[in-house]
Amino acid sequence: MDNKYNDFIIDLVNVLSFAVGLQNIELNNKQIQDLQEHLNNQDKQYDKILKLLEEKTSNERR
């Protein structure tokens, strides 16, 4: 009887660990998406800055 209870507890812990693992994967994917969006926005800002610098340099040469 005691052995069946131990097996049940181990199985329960395994199922719960699997569920937590799935939830972590979901959260990680969301964080990756958020990070990608942030990096894309940062790239756009860098592009704007580079254009402004190029315009300023071009205007100073004239």
Side-chain angles (χ1 to χ4, degrees):
M1 176 105 177
D2 192 37
N3 198 18
K4 283 187 178 183
Y5 178 75
N6 288 342
D7 289 345
F8 170 75
I9 294 298
I10 290 170
D11 288 343
L12 181 62
V13 168
N14 285 336
V15 168
L16 292 174
S17 295
F18 181 74
V20 168
L22 287 178
Q23 191 174 25
N24 282 339
I25 288 173
E26 211 172 293
L27 289 172
N28 286 348
N29 287 339
K30 174 73 172 116
Q31 288 176 332
I32 289 170
Q33 286 175 343
D34 290 346
L35 180 58
Q36 186 62 51
E37 187 177 332
H38 172 75
L39 292 174
N40 287 340
N41 288 335
Q42 199 172 42
D43 284 346
K44 289 177 188 174
Q45 287 178 330
Y46 288 152
D47 287 342
K48 286 179 185 177
I49 290 170
L50 288 174
K51 278 185 182 179
L52 289 171
L53 287 172
E54 286 170 358
E55 286 175 14
K56 182 170 174 39
T57 303
S58 174
N59 288 338
E60 286 177 353
R61 288 183 185 157
R62 291 180 186 175

